[in-house]
Amino acid sequence: MTERYFFSADVSRVDRSRVHQWLSEQSYWAQGRSREMQDAAIDASRNYGVYDSGTGEQVAYGRVVTDGITFAWFCDVFVCTEARGLGIGKMLTAGVVEDLEPLGLKRVLLSTGDAHGLYAQYGFAPLAEPSKMMARVQ
């Protein structure tokens, strides 16, 4: 079924309106995020999508915030409801990991409430010392 879809790192393909709707209305982490804030996040990040080969419609999104040298944060990962269970999350994650590989980043972090098994397949693991991590949340 995944042969019907393709991965792209081309930011010009990102359906900004659709991504904003997904994240601001359907995600558990970005509820209420403004369109302006989402567009600024897209502009300041590496962006990825999975698209339907027949229609060109975007079915998944993810972005990476990085310095391009030592660190990256893989975030805002979303697969539309209709495409879940088809391997789209795997396609997106594999594409992102492959795209970042040449950078030689020491650390790529992500946060997930429900997809630990998916990310483990691509080398992500719980932090060895989570007590060393801190967050300033506003």
Side-chain angles (χ1 to χ4, degrees), residues 44-110:
S45 303
R46 294 174 79 113
N47 296 271
Y48 305 92
V50 175
Y51 303 86
D52 185 302
S53 297
T55 66
E57 181 179 337
Q58 187 166 1
V59 297
Y61 174 76
R63 69 184 178 94
V64 171
V65 179
T66 183
D67 62 10
I69 306 298
T70 64
F71 174 81
W73 174 41
F74 183 25
C75 58
D76 284 347
V77 178
F78 194 90
V79 176
C80 73
T81 307
E82 305 79 36
R84 292 181 187 164
L86 301 176
I88 303 300
K90 289 181 180 184
M91 180 181 285
L92 180 65
T93 303
V96 169
V97 168
E98 183 178 325
D99 187 63
L100 295 177
E101 195 65 35
L103 301 178
L105 300 167
K106 179 179 171 89
R107 181 172 292 115
V108 179
L109 295 179
L110 61 77

Side-chain angles (χ1 to χ4, degrees), residues 5-34:
Y5 300 95
F6 67 94
F7 169 85
S8 177
D10 180 356
V11 68
S12 70
R13 294 192 69 92
V14 172
D15 182 337
R16 290 171 177 249
S17 177
R18 176 172 281 202
V19 167
H20 174 253
Q21 179 187 18
W22 287 339
L23 297 178
S24 69
E25 296 176 13
Q26 298 178 42
S27 76
Y28 60 82
W29 64 91
Q31 288 285 314
R33 183 182 290 172
S34 72

